[in-house]
Amino acid sequence: MNINIRMAVPADFSSVLALLKDFSVFQKTPEKVTITLEQMENDWNLFSCFVAENDAQQIIGFATFYFTYNSWSGKGLYLDDLYVEEKFRKHKIGSSLLYKVIDFAKKENCKRLRWLVSKWNTNAIDFYKKIGAVIEETEMMCDLKL
């Protein structure tokens, strides 16, 4: 299976949204997805996303991210979500998406890449540790809905 990873364009957003909804079920929090296709399209200049597509040009995975600025280290990139459709897992597509984000961050002179991982997702935690990520357990995420 050949996989092409590329930057998403607005025409991809409906496929990405469908995968986002699948991801929310995987995360056991489908009620948290409130974004609409219209909102994604209106915010497309803020919406950075790599997509993974198979030979049939079907989008089977994605990685969403955005630039940040950390007062302790400077310019950074935040990996918001990374997901591969279940039937396409175990083909290193998730790894390829992550490495694409890492390469992008390096090319953009980012000093760090940050992301969250669910405590129950031991497969992801093990992989992230294997590539050298430090999993901090000292901080808790705060979320304020506006």
Side-chain angles (χ1 to χ4, degrees), residues 16-65:
V16 172
L17 182 57
L19 287 175
L20 271 167
K21 290 178 180 179
D22 288 349
F23 180 50
S24 72
V25 171
F26 174 77
Q27 286 290 103
K28 303 171 182 70
T29 56
E31 71 284 354
K32 289 188 176 183
V33 177
T34 60
I35 194 164
T36 64
L37 181 58
E38 180 182 41
Q39 188 178 354
M40 290 172 84
E41 291 169 344
N42 289 339
D43 295 338
W44 77 272
N45 59 327
L46 300 172
F47 184 70
S48 298
C49 177
F50 287 118
V51 293
E53 59 185 5
N54 62 13
D55 294 327
Q57 296 183 325
Q58 173 190 15
I59 295 174
I60 58 173
F62 69 89
T64 57
F65 55 93

